[in-house]
Amino acid sequence: MENNSFEILVKPVRQVFYDTATGYGVYACDTKEKNKVELNNYGNFTINGNLPFRLNLYKEYKANVKREKGKYGISYKVNSIFEPIPETREGQIEYLRYILTDKQVEEILKVHPSGNILKLIEEDKLDYKNIYGIGVFIYGKIKDRVRESKEYQAAFAFLGKASLPQNLVIKLIKHFKTSAQLISEMKKNPYCITQVNGIGFKTADPVAQSLGVKANDPYRIQAAIEYVVDQESNKGHVYCTIDKAIDEVHALINVNHTSISEQIHNTQGLYVHNDRLALKSLYKAEKTISDKIKQLSSCGSGVLELDVERFLDEEAEQSGIQLSEEQRSFFINMFKYNFQLLVGNAGAGKSMLVSILIKIIETLGKTYSMMSPTAKAAKVLAQYTDRPVTTIHKAIGVGLSPDMEEAQQVNSEFVIVEETSMLDSVLCAKLLSKCVNPNVRILFIGDNAQIPSVGAGNILHDLINSDIPKTILTQVFRQKEGGILDIATRTRKQERFLDNSDKGIIEFGNNCTIACVPQEKMEDGFIYYYKKLLEEYDPEEIMALSPTKKNGFGTVEINKYIQSVVNPESIEKKEITHGQDEVTFRVQDYTMNTTNTYNIEDVQGDLTTIVNGDTGKIIDVNPDKKEIIVDFGSSEIPLEAHQLKQLMHSWCITLHKSQGSGSPAVIMLIDKSHKFSLNTNLLYTGITRAKEKLIIITQAETYNYALKKMTNLQRNTFLRDMLEEQEQGFSF
């Protein structure tokens, strides 16, 4: 593998460009080692790349760079850059001047007029107690800076030939605690770095080969096997077959099938069951789920002091509702078994049943917890029950320190979990293991027509197809009224209600409009109907949906349009523009967090958590620091430049992202440019977000094409077999 990278001492003399959000910078530099580079007409040369920090001008750095030729001439791409530890006393004094004030440096020199100052600091022999202006805090700051510089210097020296991005080297040092430990572990097995989040086999393999690892090295083959199985989990599968794994590893690293087969059982991170390969973590998760559900399903918690049938009769009379036999059976099962699954499509009455269940639990004086996989889903559950609801992550302490997470438990007697289709195997296992009340009753609720979880597993469908206590609601109420519920049901059943030749505005009931328009009229149609909805609803009560983020009908461009209408540019509103899509975040913008972020400080300095799906309004912007403050309701969170990529405008979101949420009004764009990414389940998911008003802008032929396709709900999992097999069938 050809590698034209080399090391050089650089001294930035001019900052051409620097983006605080991405860390990308361009600097004109000078160097003592002019023989290594081609100088431009100004007598210097240009370096560029994603840098770990803004470079100080006229300060010397040690860099690993690669020569590149572009339209502006020769430049040098930075692979890594760090502050070298100066060896001369003069260099050490200069080094300290970048950390401390001139006065503080002079005071150090008075106490230590000669010798190696940085060595004294490194060996903790600096007489800081007798140095004016240098207390414990400042001394700690100096020691940390020197230690970090030495750590980086050692790591970059070892990894110099690998051209590993600087941010990953820093991440590796933090993971392994010291550069010495990192180097020691990598000398044993270079693929150990795949333990670190964000570093996969394709990143680790060139690094390993630069360190001399041979093509058929056992560690290389094992890492490739684990990578292939992990890739299958990214598609939702818990396992893949051994034959498929061997074929894919062969295609990946071009090693013969026999050598790959020999390493299957030596791969530490894998579980092998017959002809199946799985990550141990995923196998253990599904085993935990199976064991807990079988335990709960096989026993009850004793008779509850309540005549359920009588309670239901009284509730029906007071509320003017009539419960079907299916709906009544749910309550009988709920008090007969300690685990139950409630499945129903839109209009089947799941929300009503949960609300009645809460009344029963409160009448009995029992404790209960309600939770959902995402913040948006939790908000919907809280709205229709008028009770507190949290995310599963918060309920079980995901993201807290290891000790605090281990200590956090769910002690409630009833645990109600909504949107089970969004639940992956790992999160489900963590939740069930946290439900520690010996008499706990657990209810999982889901809609089997919605799309499955992003993570590996197929919890809802495995449970539906297993012999565990369940209530499946088959009757849809109010469909005859037409409108949203009728369209949702017919879409779910893949029944056509549009002719391919349909054009113009078609009304369904009194709350659903479908505008069949040619592609060139889609934008005008959206603008017209969005403004009509604004006459009845606040912007936060309107959910715009698109199948994709990109292109003219994607969420990015739609959000830009909506922002221009509901929160236009104003000299009174601070704003910043961020990222490749040039998204502008402005005070009063409606936004969504897209990354689970734990132990983040709020404006008061208290630690909190924001999870994927949390929404809030921007209440302040600092354009200079590229920092914004978002009010997420429960807390006000400052987000720095590097965190802005986890924020998006939430007036318009993707159909996938909308799962679990709800809104009074929904406007969907279903264009023929989205044709091949659409299916029945996505359409159904989007439609069922609407509570009061639904508008779909599409071409009839495009909608009908999507109706022909269903999401592939078949995933390779162990759970269903585990629930049906005897214990010895899946020993670990």
Side-chain angles (χ1 to χ4, degrees), residues 94 104 119 154 212 250 329 436 464 679 728:
E94 188 66 21
Q104 288 170 326
K119 188 174 182 180
H250 171 71
S329 70
V436 296
I464 289 172
N679 57 57
Q728 63 268 24

Side-chain angles (χ1 to χ4, degrees), residues 540 567 573 586-590 617-620 651:
E540 290 74 27
N567 192 28
K573 295 178 183 176
R586 185 175 296 140
V587 171
Q588 292 300 306
D589 277 352
Y590 186 45
K617 275 194 173 182
I618 296 175
I619 58 174
D620 197 12
W651 295 296

